Amino acid sequence: MTTATAPQASAATGAPAPTPPKPGVDEGRIGLRANLRHIGALVRRNALQIKQDPESMMDALLMPIIFTLLFVYVFGGAIGGAGAGGGAGREKYVQYLVPGMMAMMCMNIAMAVGTGINEDFRKGVMDRFRSMPIARSSVLIAKVVVEIARMLVAIAVLLTVGFLVGFDIQGHWLGMLASVGLTALFGGSLLWIFMILGLTMRTAQAVQGVSFLVLMPLQFGSSVFVPVSTMPGWLESFTHVNPLTQLADAARALMTGQGDVADPVMWTVVWSVGLTVVMAPIAIAKFRKKA
């Protein structure tokens, strides 16, 4: 029996005609367990890519070493208040710099995800994901997981170099772990911003250029490198609302036991949750539209 005679036969027998399935109604509904499985598979794929291309870890491994040594030995004596040969100033500055640089590391690592996702679209990687029955959000969430892992590697390298040049947490090991977790939380929220840039800009070079325009004022207009009290009044006002200042101050208080802990930790968490709640849906919506 052909499809043309099927409705007639159904009418003749009195049986209701079969209703054709509606495309796009049920196939897009993916359960939580399946979504988690997809995220896990994509995380493994991204990790294998890093294994096959170890150069992609160069920023996480070398940037903490280069920046720490440069700032400690080039600016440490002057900024910290140099003693004989600058040694006393450097020792003082190391205690100030290393916790603050955790905020810098998380932002620099987050910046790279925008360039990476833009290149994935250019190379057609996202076309393969589009052909798979997976949730669009799982692709971005997997990138967030892998990039947070890269941040933790960069922070571990930073702390190792910091200990070698004289950084002393004075027994605040729990505070150090708390500051690492707080940095990873804030870094994860920044990833969504840079993914939006990667999904919006046409080229990877454009993403990198705009990212630096965002990166530089936030980093240098904060308490990451120098105390905000040394800045002019208009810039000091900006640093007080800069989330990197809150993260840097929170890390210093947790790791050295000096300064207020509650306020900077609270504001860092508020910034992290707020950025994620606002930016993650925008990034996912842009990804669905672009993919």
Side-chain angles (χ1 to χ4, degrees):
M1 183 182 296
T2 64
T3 55
T5 60
Q8 298 176 0
S10 298
T13 58
T19 303
K22 297 180 180 180
V25 175
D26 295 325
E27 63 188 9
R29 296 177 181 176
I30 298 175
L32 178 60
R33 292 180 63 182
N35 207 339
L36 291 175
R37 193 165 60 249
H38 298 159
I39 292 171
L42 289 168
V43 167
R44 182 173 179 273
R45 170 195 172 273
N46 291 337
L48 288 174
Q49 275 192 324
I50 293 175
K51 183 179 179 181
Q52 293 171 358
D53 182 20
E55 293 180 358
S56 62
M57 286 294 294
M58 295 291 282
D59 56 343
L61 296 174
L62 295 183
M63 190 163 46
I65 300 173
I66 294 171
F67 275 94
T68 302
L69 295 180
L70 279 176
F71 275 94
V72 169
Y73 291 106
V74 176
F75 302 110
I79 297 175
R90 279 195 294 269
E91 290 176 5
K92 181 179 178 182
Y93 188 55
V94 166
Q95 293 298 112
Y96 184 89
L97 176 69
V98 172
M101 284 196 67
M102 291 173 63
M104 177 186 171
M105 287 301 107
C106 80
M107 195 162 193
N108 285 336
I109 297 297
M111 184 183 71
V113 75
T115 306
I117 200 169
N118 188 278
E119 289 180 346
D120 282 346
F121 271 104
R122 183 176 56 84
K123 293 176 180 177
V125 175
M126 296 305 171
D127 290 336
R128 294 199 292 271
F129 290 145
R130 182 175 53 184
S131 66
M132 299 177 182
I134 60 175
R136 296 293 184 261
S137 60
S138 63
V139 179
L140 300 186
I141 293 173
K143 280 192 171 291
V144 169
V145 173
V146 172
E147 292 302 316
I148 288 177
R150 286 188 352 108
M151 285 180 196
L152 294 176
V153 171
I155 292 172
V157 175
L158 169 65
L159 292 176
T160 301
V161 177
F163 291 140
L164 291 175
V165 297
F167 179 62
D168 185 9
I169 62 173
Q170 300 171 0
H172 296 92
W173 293 101
L174 290 179
M176 185 188 75
L177 294 176
S179 65
V180 171
L182 195 65
T183 303
L185 175 67
F186 182 73
S189 69
L190 292 179
L191 288 167
W192 297 106
I193 298 176
F194 289 105
M195 280 195 286
I196 291 174
L197 287 177
L199 293 167
T200 304
M201 300 289 104
R202 291 188 176 183
T203 64
Q205 290 82 358
V207 175
Q208 193 172 24
V210 174
S211 297
F212 270 110
L213 291 177
V214 175
L215 186 78
M216 301 303 285
L218 287 177
Q219 285 187 347
F220 288 96
S222 70
S223 65
V224 169
F225 303 111
V226 296
V228 298
S229 58
T230 63
M231 301 177 183
W234 61 269
L235 184 55
E236 186 176 350
S237 300
F238 170 74
T239 61
H240 287 311
V241 296
N242 186 342
L244 288 188
T245 295
Q246 305 297 336
L247 177 56
D249 291 347
R252 288 190 191 99
L254 288 167
M255 297 174 75
T256 64
Q258 299 176 1
D260 179 41
V261 176
D263 263 4
V265 169
M266 179 194 71
W267 282 112
T268 302
V269 173
V270 169
W271 271 106
S272 302
V273 173
L275 288 174
T276 302
V277 169
V278 173
M279 296 299 173
I282 296 174
I284 293 171
K286 279 188 169 293
F287 181 79
R288 285 172 176 162
K289 183 179 179 181
K290 191 176 180 72

